[in-house]
Amino acid sequence: MFEGFYKYTEQIVSFTEKEKAIIEGAFTFRQVPKKFKLTEEGKIARELYFINKGLVRLYYTKDGEEITGFIFKEHLFASSYDSLLRQTPSIQTLETLEDCELLVITAKALEELYEAIPKMQVLGRKVAEQRFINGQMILSSFILDSPEERYKKFVAQHGDLLLRVPHHIIASYLGITPVSMSRIRKRMSE
Amino acid sequence: MFEGFYKYTEQIVSFTEKEKAIIEGAFTFRQVPKKFKLTEEGKIARELYFINKGLVRLYYTKDGEEITGFIFKEHLFASSYDSLLRQTPSIQTLETLEDCELLVITAKALEELYEAIPKMQVLGRKVAEQRFINGQMILSSFILDSPEERYKKFVAQHGDLLLRVPHHIIASYLGITPVSMSRIRKRMSE
DNA sequence: TCATTCCATTAACAATTGTAAAGAAAATGC
DNA sequence: GCATTTTCTTTACAATTGTTAATGGAATGA
């Protein structure tokens, strides 16, 4: 249950058996079906999710359209992060793309974990930094790359998601319409 | 010299006179002319800058073109943040847009300040959060808004910069060409 | 197993932005 | 004060993407 979690955190900090016991007590295991909203727009995010299995996406809505901001794979922490940080209503929705197996912790329990285990501060900071860096990479790609270049990079880094995620969701994540993405794919296969 | 700094930090934490003395000893005051590169692409960012006066921009280069990622005004902390966090070579350049008056602290001195004054952890975390949130706002605008909408929002939030920053730099920050921005400005004034 | 829904591609036309160049005004530097 | 450089707008044409609709195949659910 915590194998994936420790495989990930071991790269950052090592926990003793005692610390692991405390950590495991702070999380709950949850199986969630696809298309389930973990955090809704307009509501405050109160939980953080470690993905053992499945996919989760973060999206915005505008004029009735859903526009994907991020897709979280296994072994990532998923959340509507700014809402979690500030405890303000989220402008995003966090929703499962597949049936998921998650390790869930509340914001409150996380604070208590920070108090109880100082090493958690390091892990928390690393997770936050990674989150910032992910956002910077996406933003710089929007700034620097054409839609076709964004698609190419996506394929290079997350090609497996083409098989798991509907293309219209990937298109919205790349900032283009499904029609445009289809044209790009056709151009690239010629 | 530190008035602006404390005006900003007082919203987050209050420092005692003793703490202020330590803080002031960790920073240096620097006057920097416009078009000066504070951090260069390919180099590691080793300093953080509080802007007392002036403007600083963060930009990327691609195919010989400079594309602006952020513009820092007075009373903000400027840096090539991911390079500073990870101590890896930056993919961005940090450069002054006007003659500036900066309070400068090195990454090393900042770490020491964190050790010496626990309240600095809170400030540091808040600054990091604000940085993440800024990035999210820009990214979500790229995702959700057309170039015209981005221009409108920019004017609403930073209209003063239209007088201080060359329009071609603002255009690149908004992800469009100067010609397109000129067309948008014309359309909006009709 | 079949009806319904969802997904992906394609076509036609519209809209917006990019590119290149020109010209005028403002800013800069000697 | 003047020459040079930079900035900004405009124009003409090109390119890419958006929009709408249609079609066929895959997935889903009863």
Side-chain angles (χ1 to χ4, degrees):
Chain A
M1 192 175 281
F2 276 84
E3 280 163 17
F5 181 91
Y6 291 130
K7 203 162 195 165
Y8 171 79
T9 59
E10 282 295 332
Q11 302 171 41
I12 300 168
V13 285
S14 288
F15 293 114
T16 65
E17 293 311 306
K18 189 169 172 178
E19 288 168 334
K20 281 179 181 177
I22 300 173
I23 288 168
E24 287 165 32
F27 282 83
T28 54
F29 177 78
R30 197 185 296 171
Q31 277 180 306
V32 187
K34 87 190 263 186
K35 283 193 191 303
F36 182 85
K37 290 184 167 69
L38 296 164
T39 302
E40 291 189 63
E41 182 184 358
K43 299 229 177 109
I44 293 174
R46 300 201 188 276
E47 297 176 327
L48 179 70
Y49 310 90
F50 182 80
I51 304 172
N52 263 354
K53 186 171 181 293
L55 292 171
V56 174
R57 73 167 172 145
L58 196 64
Y59 67 85
Y60 304 83
T61 58
K62 178 175 187 189
D63 305 326
E65 299 237 336
E66 293 172 5
I67 303 177
T68 298
F70 199 78
I71 300 170
F72 299 95
K73 290 161 118 172
E74 284 89 355
H75 307 147
L76 288 178
F77 284 94
S79 65
S80 177
Y81 194 52
D82 29 346
S83 177
L84 195 67
L85 283 180
R86 301 173 114 185
Q87 291 294 286
T88 52
S90 180
I91 61 168
Q92 301 154 331
T93 302
L94 191 71
E95 182 176 287
T96 54
L97 278 174
E98 296 178 339
D99 293 344
C100 292
E101 291 175 8
L102 309 172
L103 292 171
V104 184
I105 188 168
T106 64
K108 189 175 161 61
L110 185 59
E111 286 300 318
E112 287 164 6
L113 214 47
Y114 283 137
E115 296 293 323
I117 305 175
K119 277 181 208 158
M120 284 298 297
Q121 299 272 8
V122 178
L123 179 62
R125 188 164 59 86
K126 286 297 185 184
V127 167
E129 286 177 9
Q130 190 55 51
R131 199 53 190 268
F132 172 85
I133 286 160
N134 284 346
Q136 279 295 300
M137 283 175 64
I138 296 170
L139 177 55
S140 64
S141 186
F142 265 87
I143 289 171
L144 297 172
D145 298 324
S146 66
E148 181 158 329
E149 287 168 322
R150 292 207 286 279
Y151 178 78
K152 279 172 175 166
K153 282 184 172 176
F154 180 84
V155 169
Q157 290 163 22
H158 308 290
D160 58 300
L161 293 185
L162 285 171
L163 304 175
R164 295 174 70 184
V165 179
H167 287 194
H168 65 89
I169 288 183
I170 295 173
S172 80
Y173 174 59
L174 298 175
I176 55 178
T177 63
V179 176
S180 295
M181 184 160 133
S182 205
R183 289 185 187 121
I184 289 170
R185 282 164 57 79
K186 183 175 182 181
R187 277 208 301 278
M188 282 175 64
S189 68
E190 279 165 359
Chain B
M1 193 173 280
F2 275 83
E3 279 163 19
F5 181 89
Y6 290 129
K7 201 162 197 166
Y8 170 80
T9 60
E10 283 295 331
Q11 302 168 42
I12 300 164
V13 287
S14 288
F15 293 113
T16 65
E17 294 309 310
K18 189 170 175 180
E19 289 169 334
K20 283 179 178 178
I22 300 173
I23 287 168
E24 287 166 31
F27 280 84
T28 55
F29 176 79
R30 196 183 298 171
Q31 276 178 307
V32 187
K34 83 189 265 185
K35 282 193 192 301
F36 182 85
K37 289 183 167 75
L38 297 164
T39 302
E40 290 187 65
E41 181 185 359
K43 298 226 178 113
I44 293 173
R46 302 206 186 273
E47 298 177 326
L48 180 69
Y49 312 89
F50 182 80
I51 304 172
N52 262 354
K53 186 171 179 296
L55 293 170
V56 175
R57 73 168 170 145
L58 195 65
Y59 67 86
Y60 304 82
T61 57
K62 177 176 187 189
D63 304 326
E65 298 238 335
E66 294 173 4
I67 303 178
T68 299
F70 199 79
I71 301 171
F72 300 94
K73 291 160 115 170
E74 285 89 356
H75 308 145
L76 288 180
F77 284 94
S79 66
S80 178
Y81 195 51
D82 30 344
S83 177
L84 193 67
L85 281 179
R86 303 174 113 185
Q87 290 294 288
T88 53
S90 180
I91 61 169
Q92 301 153 328
T93 301
L94 192 69
E95 182 177 287
T96 54
L97 279 173
E98 293 177 344
D99 292 345
C100 291
E101 292 176 7
L102 308 172
L103 293 172
V104 183
I105 189 167
T106 64
K108 188 174 161 61
L110 187 60
E111 285 300 319
E112 287 165 5
L113 215 48
Y114 282 138
E115 295 293 323
I117 305 177
K119 277 181 207 156
M120 284 298 298
Q121 299 272 5
V122 178
L123 178 63
R125 186 164 58 88
K126 286 298 184 184
V127 166
E129 284 177 9
Q130 191 56 53
R131 201 52 191 268
F132 172 84
I133 286 161
N134 283 345
Q136 279 296 300
M137 283 177 62
I138 295 169
L139 177 55
S140 64
S141 185
F142 265 87
I143 291 173
L144 296 172
D145 299 324
S146 65
E148 182 158 327
E149 286 166 323
R150 291 205 288 279
Y151 178 77
K152 280 171 173 165
K153 281 182 171 173
F154 179 85
V155 170
Q157 289 164 21
H158 309 290
D160 58 299
L161 292 186
L162 285 170
L163 305 174
R164 296 173 70 188
V165 179
H167 287 193
H168 65 91
I169 288 182
I170 294 174
S172 81
Y173 173 58
L174 298 174
I176 55 180
T177 64
V179 177
S180 293
M181 184 161 132
S182 208
R183 288 185 185 122
I184 288 171
R185 281 166 57 80
K186 185 175 181 181
R187 276 207 301 277
M188 280 175 64
S189 67
E190 279 165 1

Short mmCIF file of all heavy atoms in Angstrom, two decimals, chain A residues 76-125:
data_model
loop_
_atom_site.label_atom_id
_atom_site.label_comp_id
_atom_site.label_asym_id
_atom_site.label_seq_id
_atom_site.Cartn_x
_atom_site.Cartn_y
_atom_site.Cartn_z
N LEU A 76 2.69 10.66 -8.10
CA LEU A 76 2.71 12.10 -7.92
C LEU A 76 1.68 12.47 -6.86
O LEU A 76 0.72 11.75 -6.65
CB LEU A 76 2.35 12.83 -9.22
CG LEU A 76 3.39 12.82 -10.34
CD1 LEU A 76 2.84 13.55 -11.56
CD2 LEU A 76 4.68 13.48 -9.88
N PHE A 77 1.91 13.63 -6.23
CA PHE A 77 0.92 14.18 -5.31
C PHE A 77 -0.01 15.09 -6.10
O PHE A 77 0.45 16.00 -6.78
CB PHE A 77 1.61 15.00 -4.21
CG PHE A 77 2.28 14.18 -3.15
CD1 PHE A 77 3.63 13.87 -3.24
CD2 PHE A 77 1.55 13.71 -2.05
CE1 PHE A 77 4.24 13.10 -2.25
CE2 PHE A 77 2.16 12.95 -1.06
CZ PHE A 77 3.51 12.64 -1.16
N ALA A 78 -1.29 14.83 -5.99
CA ALA A 78 -2.27 15.63 -6.72
C ALA A 78 -3.06 16.51 -5.77
O ALA A 78 -3.40 16.08 -4.66
CB ALA A 78 -3.22 14.73 -7.51
N SER A 79 -3.33 17.72 -6.19
CA SER A 79 -4.18 18.60 -5.42
C SER A 79 -4.48 19.84 -6.25
O SER A 79 -3.81 20.10 -7.25
CB SER A 79 -3.48 19.06 -4.13
OG SER A 79 -2.36 19.85 -4.46
N SER A 80 -5.50 20.57 -5.82
CA SER A 80 -5.70 21.92 -6.31
C SER A 80 -4.83 22.77 -5.40
O SER A 80 -5.28 23.23 -4.34
CB SER A 80 -7.17 22.31 -6.22
OG SER A 80 -7.33 23.63 -6.64
N TYR A 81 -3.59 22.97 -5.82
CA TYR A 81 -2.55 23.35 -4.88
C TYR A 81 -2.71 24.75 -4.29
O TYR A 81 -2.49 24.95 -3.10
CB TYR A 81 -1.18 23.22 -5.56
CG TYR A 81 -0.01 23.27 -4.63
CD1 TYR A 81 0.05 22.45 -3.51
CD2 TYR A 81 1.04 24.13 -4.88
CE1 TYR A 81 1.13 22.50 -2.66
CE2 TYR A 81 2.14 24.19 -4.04
CZ TYR A 81 2.17 23.36 -2.93
OH TYR A 81 3.25 23.43 -2.08
N ASP A 82 -3.08 25.71 -5.12
CA ASP A 82 -3.21 27.06 -4.56
C ASP A 82 -4.35 27.14 -3.55
O ASP A 82 -4.23 27.82 -2.53
CB ASP A 82 -3.30 28.17 -5.61
CG ASP A 82 -3.92 27.73 -6.90
OD1 ASP A 82 -4.06 26.51 -7.11
OD2 ASP A 82 -4.25 28.58 -7.72
N SER A 83 -5.42 26.41 -3.81
CA SER A 83 -6.52 26.37 -2.83
C SER A 83 -6.07 25.71 -1.53
O SER A 83 -6.42 26.15 -0.44
CB SER A 83 -7.71 25.63 -3.42
OG SER A 83 -8.75 25.54 -2.47
N LEU A 84 -5.29 24.67 -1.67
CA LEU A 84 -4.78 23.95 -0.49
C LEU A 84 -3.85 24.86 0.32
O LEU A 84 -3.91 24.90 1.55
CB LEU A 84 -4.01 22.71 -0.95
CG LEU A 84 -3.71 21.67 0.12
CD1 LEU A 84 -4.98 21.01 0.62
CD2 LEU A 84 -2.75 20.63 -0.43
N LEU A 85 -2.98 25.59 -0.40
CA LEU A 85 -2.03 26.48 0.27
C LEU A 85 -2.72 27.61 1.00
O LEU A 85 -2.39 27.94 2.14
CB LEU A 85 -1.09 27.13 -0.75
CG LEU A 85 0.05 26.32 -1.33
CD1 LEU A 85 0.82 27.19 -2.32
CD2 LEU A 85 0.97 25.85 -0.21
N ARG A 86 -3.68 28.25 0.33
CA ARG A 86 -4.29 29.47 0.87
C ARG A 86 -5.60 29.20 1.60
O ARG A 86 -6.11 30.09 2.24
CB ARG A 86 -4.58 30.46 -0.25
CG ARG A 86 -3.37 30.86 -1.03
CD ARG A 86 -3.76 31.71 -2.24
NE ARG A 86 -3.25 33.06 -2.11
CZ ARG A 86 -3.52 34.04 -2.98
NH1 ARG A 86 -4.29 33.79 -4.01
NH2 ARG A 86 -3.03 35.23 -2.81
N GLN A 87 -6.11 27.99 1.45
CA GLN A 87 -7.43 27.67 2.01
C GLN A 87 -8.48 28.64 1.50
O GLN A 87 -9.33 29.12 2.26
CB GLN A 87 -7.38 27.61 3.54
CG GLN A 87 -6.59 26.42 4.07
CD GLN A 87 -7.25 25.07 3.75
OE1 GLN A 87 -8.24 24.73 4.37
NE2 GLN A 87 -6.73 24.31 2.80
N THR A 88 -8.43 28.91 0.19
CA THR A 88 -9.44 29.75 -0.46
C THR A 88 -10.14 28.89 -1.51
O THR A 88 -9.60 27.87 -1.93
CB THR A 88 -8.78 30.95 -1.17
OG1 THR A 88 -7.73 30.47 -2.02
CG2 THR A 88 -8.21 31.93 -0.16
N PRO A 89 -11.35 29.29 -1.92
CA PRO A 89 -12.07 28.50 -2.92
C PRO A 89 -11.24 28.34 -4.20
O PRO A 89 -10.59 29.27 -4.67
CB PRO A 89 -13.34 29.33 -3.19
CG PRO A 89 -13.53 30.10 -1.93
CD PRO A 89 -12.14 30.43 -1.46
N SER A 90 -11.27 27.13 -4.75
CA SER A 90 -10.45 26.82 -5.91
C SER A 90 -11.08 27.32 -7.20
O SER A 90 -12.31 27.34 -7.32
CB SER A 90 -10.27 25.30 -6.00
OG SER A 90 -9.48 24.97 -7.10
N ILE A 91 -10.25 27.72 -8.15
CA ILE A 91 -10.75 28.06 -9.48
C ILE A 91 -10.63 26.86 -10.42
O ILE A 91 -10.91 26.94 -11.61
CB ILE A 91 -9.98 29.26 -10.09
CG1 ILE A 91 -8.49 28.94 -10.24
CG2 ILE A 91 -10.17 30.50 -9.23
CD1 ILE A 91 -7.74 29.95 -11.08
N GLN A 92 -10.20 25.75 -9.80
CA GLN A 92 -10.00 24.54 -10.60
C GLN A 92 -10.83 23.39 -10.04
O GLN A 92 -11.30 23.45 -8.92
CB GLN A 92 -8.53 24.12 -10.51
CG GLN A 92 -7.54 25.16 -10.98
CD GLN A 92 -6.21 24.98 -10.30
OE1 GLN A 92 -6.11 24.50 -9.18
NE2 GLN A 92 -5.15 25.38 -10.98
N THR A 93 -10.97 22.34 -10.88
CA THR A 93 -11.59 21.09 -10.44
C THR A 93 -10.57 19.98 -10.57
O THR A 93 -9.84 19.92 -11.56
CB THR A 93 -12.81 20.76 -11.33
OG1 THR A 93 -13.75 21.84 -11.26
CG2 THR A 93 -13.48 19.46 -10.87
N LEU A 94 -10.49 19.14 -9.54
CA LEU A 94 -9.59 17.98 -9.57
C LEU A 94 -10.46 16.75 -9.73
O LEU A 94 -11.35 16.51 -8.92
CB LEU A 94 -8.81 17.93 -8.26
CG LEU A 94 -7.63 16.97 -8.17
CD1 LEU A 94 -6.47 17.45 -9.03
CD2 LEU A 94 -7.18 16.83 -6.71
N GLU A 95 -10.22 15.98 -10.80
CA GLU A 95 -11.11 14.85 -11.12
C GLU A 95 -10.32 13.65 -11.63
O GLU A 95 -9.32 13.82 -12.35
CB GLU A 95 -12.09 15.32 -12.20
CG GLU A 95 -13.12 14.30 -12.62
CD GLU A 95 -14.12 14.87 -13.61
OE1 GLU A 95 -14.97 15.66 -13.18
OE2 GLU A 95 -14.04 14.53 -14.80
N THR A 96 -10.78 12.45 -11.27
CA THR A 96 -10.10 11.24 -11.74
C THR A 96 -10.41 10.99 -13.21
O THR A 96 -11.53 11.19 -13.67
CB THR A 96 -10.55 10.01 -10.92
OG1 THR A 96 -11.99 9.95 -10.96
CG2 THR A 96 -10.11 10.13 -9.49
N LEU A 97 -9.37 10.54 -13.94
CA LEU A 97 -9.53 10.20 -15.34
C LEU A 97 -9.69 8.68 -15.51
O LEU A 97 -10.15 8.21 -16.53
CB LEU A 97 -8.28 10.62 -16.15
CG LEU A 97 -8.20 12.07 -16.58
CD1 LEU A 97 -6.85 12.35 -17.22
CD2 LEU A 97 -9.31 12.39 -17.58
N GLU A 98 -9.24 7.95 -14.52
CA GLU A 98 -9.36 6.48 -14.49
C GLU A 98 -9.75 6.09 -13.07
O GLU A 98 -9.66 6.89 -12.15
CB GLU A 98 -8.00 5.82 -14.80
CG GLU A 98 -7.44 6.06 -16.16
CD GLU A 98 -6.05 5.40 -16.34
OE1 GLU A 98 -5.38 5.12 -15.33
OE2 GLU A 98 -5.66 5.20 -17.49
N ASP A 99 -10.16 4.84 -12.90
CA ASP A 99 -10.33 4.33 -11.54
C ASP A 99 -8.97 4.48 -10.84
O ASP A 99 -7.94 4.14 -11.41
CB ASP A 99 -10.72 2.85 -11.56
CG ASP A 99 -12.11 2.64 -12.15
OD1 ASP A 99 -12.86 3.64 -12.25
OD2 ASP A 99 -12.45 1.51 -12.52
N CYS A 100 -8.99 5.01 -9.63
CA CYS A 100 -7.73 5.31 -8.91
C CYS A 100 -7.63 4.64 -7.56
O CYS A 100 -8.65 4.38 -6.91
CB CYS A 100 -7.59 6.81 -8.67
SG CYS A 100 -7.34 7.74 -10.15
N GLU A 101 -6.38 4.42 -7.15
CA GLU A 101 -6.08 4.00 -5.79
C GLU A 101 -5.20 5.11 -5.20
O GLU A 101 -4.09 5.35 -5.66
CB GLU A 101 -5.33 2.67 -5.78
CG GLU A 101 -6.21 1.52 -6.22
CD GLU A 101 -5.45 0.20 -6.34
OE1 GLU A 101 -4.26 0.16 -5.92
OE2 GLU A 101 -6.03 -0.76 -6.85
N LEU A 102 -5.75 5.80 -4.22
CA LEU A 102 -5.10 6.99 -3.67
C LEU A 102 -4.76 6.85 -2.20
O LEU A 102 -5.48 6.19 -1.46
CB LEU A 102 -6.03 8.21 -3.83
CG LEU A 102 -6.63 8.48 -5.21
CD1 LEU A 102 -7.66 9.59 -5.13
CD2 LEU A 102 -5.53 8.84 -6.19
N LEU A 103 -3.68 7.50 -1.78
CA LEU A 103 -3.38 7.69 -0.37
C LEU A 103 -3.73 9.13 -0.07
O LEU A 103 -3.16 10.04 -0.67
CB LEU A 103 -1.91 7.41 -0.08
CG LEU A 103 -1.52 5.93 -0.24
CD1 LEU A 103 -0.02 5.76 -0.16
CD2 LEU A 103 -2.23 5.09 0.80
N VAL A 104 -4.67 9.32 0.84
CA VAL A 104 -5.24 10.63 1.07
C VAL A 104 -4.84 11.18 2.43
O VAL A 104 -4.85 10.45 3.43
CB VAL A 104 -6.78 10.56 1.02
CG1 VAL A 104 -7.40 11.95 1.17
CG2 VAL A 104 -7.24 9.91 -0.27
N ILE A 105 -4.48 12.46 2.47
CA ILE A 105 -4.21 13.11 3.75
C ILE A 105 -4.89 14.47 3.76
O ILE A 105 -4.90 15.17 2.75
CB ILE A 105 -2.68 13.23 4.01
CG1 ILE A 105 -2.40 13.73 5.43
CG2 ILE A 105 -2.00 14.13 2.98
CD1 ILE A 105 -0.95 13.61 5.86
N THR A 106 -5.44 14.83 4.90
CA THR A 106 -6.09 16.14 5.00
C THR A 106 -5.04 17.22 5.27
O THR A 106 -3.94 16.93 5.74
CB THR A 106 -7.12 16.17 6.15
OG1 THR A 106 -6.41 15.99 7.38
CG2 THR A 106 -8.16 15.08 5.99
N ALA A 107 -5.41 18.45 4.95
CA ALA A 107 -4.50 19.58 5.18
C ALA A 107 -4.12 19.67 6.65
O ALA A 107 -2.97 19.94 7.01
CB ALA A 107 -5.17 20.88 4.72
N LYS A 108 -5.10 19.40 7.50
CA LYS A 108 -4.89 19.46 8.94
C LYS A 108 -3.91 18.38 9.41
O LYS A 108 -2.96 18.66 10.14
CB LYS A 108 -6.24 19.28 9.64
CG LYS A 108 -6.24 19.51 11.13
CD LYS A 108 -7.71 19.40 11.61
CE LYS A 108 -7.79 19.16 13.12
NZ LYS A 108 -7.18 20.27 13.87
N ALA A 109 -4.12 17.16 8.94
CA ALA A 109 -3.24 16.06 9.32
C ALA A 109 -1.84 16.29 8.77
O ALA A 109 -0.84 15.90 9.38
CB ALA A 109 -3.81 14.74 8.81
N LEU A 110 -1.75 16.93 7.63
CA LEU A 110 -0.45 17.23 7.04
C LEU A 110 0.32 18.22 7.93
O LEU A 110 1.51 18.04 8.19
CB LEU A 110 -0.63 17.80 5.64
CG LEU A 110 0.62 18.07 4.82
CD1 LEU A 110 1.44 16.80 4.62
CD2 LEU A 110 0.25 18.65 3.45
N GLU A 111 -0.38 19.26 8.41
CA GLU A 111 0.23 20.21 9.33
C GLU A 111 0.75 19.50 10.57
O GLU A 111 1.85 19.78 11.06
CB GLU A 111 -0.78 21.30 9.76
CG GLU A 111 -1.09 22.33 8.70
CD GLU A 111 0.14 23.11 8.26
OE1 GLU A 111 0.95 23.50 9.15
OE2 GLU A 111 0.29 23.32 7.05
N GLU A 112 -0.05 18.58 11.08
CA GLU A 112 0.35 17.83 12.27
C GLU A 112 1.56 16.95 11.98
O GLU A 112 2.44 16.79 12.84
CB GLU A 112 -0.82 16.98 12.78
CG GLU A 112 -1.90 17.84 13.45
CD GLU A 112 -3.23 17.12 13.61
OE1 GLU A 112 -3.28 15.89 13.31
OE2 GLU A 112 -4.22 17.77 13.99
N LEU A 113 1.61 16.40 10.79
CA LEU A 113 2.75 15.58 10.38
C LEU A 113 4.02 16.42 10.31
O LEU A 113 5.11 15.97 10.68
CB LEU A 113 2.43 14.96 9.02
CG LEU A 113 2.94 13.57 8.70
CD1 LEU A 113 2.69 12.57 9.83
CD2 LEU A 113 2.27 13.08 7.41
N TYR A 114 3.90 17.64 9.79
CA TYR A 114 5.03 18.57 9.76
C TYR A 114 5.55 18.80 11.18
O TYR A 114 6.76 18.87 11.40
CB TYR A 114 4.62 19.92 9.15
CG TYR A 114 4.51 19.93 7.65
CD1 TYR A 114 3.44 20.57 7.02
CD2 TYR A 114 5.45 19.29 6.85
CE1 TYR A 114 3.33 20.59 5.64
CE2 TYR A 114 5.35 19.31 5.47
CZ TYR A 114 4.29 19.95 4.87
OH TYR A 114 4.17 19.95 3.51
N GLU A 115 4.63 18.96 12.12
CA GLU A 115 5.04 19.18 13.52
C GLU A 115 5.70 17.94 14.10
O GLU A 115 6.72 18.01 14.78
CB GLU A 115 3.81 19.53 14.37
CG GLU A 115 3.10 20.82 14.02
CD GLU A 115 3.96 22.03 14.31
OE1 GLU A 115 4.69 22.00 15.35
OE2 GLU A 115 3.92 22.99 13.53
N ALA A 116 5.12 16.78 13.81
CA ALA A 116 5.55 15.54 14.44
C ALA A 116 6.88 15.02 13.87
O ALA A 116 7.68 14.43 14.59
CB ALA A 116 4.47 14.48 14.28
N ILE A 117 7.09 15.21 12.58
CA ILE A 117 8.29 14.68 11.92
C ILE A 117 8.97 15.79 11.12
O ILE A 117 8.50 16.12 10.02
CB ILE A 117 7.93 13.52 10.97
CG1 ILE A 117 7.16 12.44 11.73
CG2 ILE A 117 9.20 12.93 10.35
CD1 ILE A 117 6.67 11.32 10.85
N PRO A 118 10.03 16.35 11.66
CA PRO A 118 10.72 17.46 10.97
C PRO A 118 11.13 17.14 9.53
O PRO A 118 11.11 18.01 8.66
CB PRO A 118 11.95 17.71 11.86
CG PRO A 118 11.50 17.23 13.21
CD PRO A 118 10.63 16.04 12.95
N LYS A 119 11.48 15.89 9.26
CA LYS A 119 11.86 15.50 7.89
C LYS A 119 10.74 15.74 6.89
O LYS A 119 10.99 15.88 5.69
CB LYS A 119 12.21 14.02 7.83
CG LYS A 119 13.62 13.68 8.25
CD LYS A 119 13.79 12.19 8.10
CE LYS A 119 14.83 11.63 9.05
NZ LYS A 119 14.60 10.20 9.25
N MET A 120 9.52 15.76 7.38
CA MET A 120 8.38 15.99 6.49
C MET A 120 8.43 17.40 5.90
O MET A 120 7.91 17.63 4.79
CB MET A 120 7.04 15.81 7.22
CG MET A 120 6.64 14.38 7.47
SD MET A 120 6.42 13.45 5.92
CE MET A 120 5.05 14.33 5.17
N GLN A 121 9.08 18.34 6.63
CA GLN A 121 9.22 19.69 6.10
C GLN A 121 10.04 19.67 4.81
O GLN A 121 9.74 20.37 3.85
CB GLN A 121 9.92 20.61 7.12
CG GLN A 121 9.20 20.76 8.43
CD GLN A 121 8.19 21.90 8.43
OE1 GLN A 121 7.93 22.48 7.37
NE2 GLN A 121 7.66 22.20 9.60
N VAL A 122 11.07 18.84 4.84
CA VAL A 122 11.94 18.73 3.66
C VAL A 122 11.15 18.14 2.50
O VAL A 122 11.19 18.64 1.38
CB VAL A 122 13.17 17.84 3.96
CG1 VAL A 122 14.02 17.69 2.71
CG2 VAL A 122 13.97 18.43 5.10
N LEU A 123 10.41 17.06 2.80
CA LEU A 123 9.61 16.42 1.75
C LEU A 123 8.58 17.40 1.22
O LEU A 123 8.41 17.54 0.00
CB LEU A 123 8.91 15.18 2.32
CG LEU A 123 8.00 14.42 1.34
CD1 LEU A 123 8.80 13.89 0.15
CD2 LEU A 123 7.28 13.27 2.06
N GLY A 124 7.91 18.10 2.13
CA GLY A 124 6.89 19.06 1.73
C GLY A 124 7.43 20.16 0.87
O GLY A 124 6.80 20.57 -0.12
N ARG A 125 8.59 20.65 1.23
CA ARG A 125 9.22 21.71 0.46
C ARG A 125 9.61 21.20 -0.93
O ARG A 125 9.45 21.90 -1.93
CB ARG A 125 10.44 22.24 1.19
CG ARG A 125 11.06 23.47 0.56
CD ARG A 125 11.99 24.17 1.51
NE ARG A 125 13.09 23.30 1.94
CZ ARG A 125 14.23 23.14 1.27
NH1 ARG A 125 14.42 23.77 0.13
NH2 ARG A 125 15.17 22.36 1.73
#
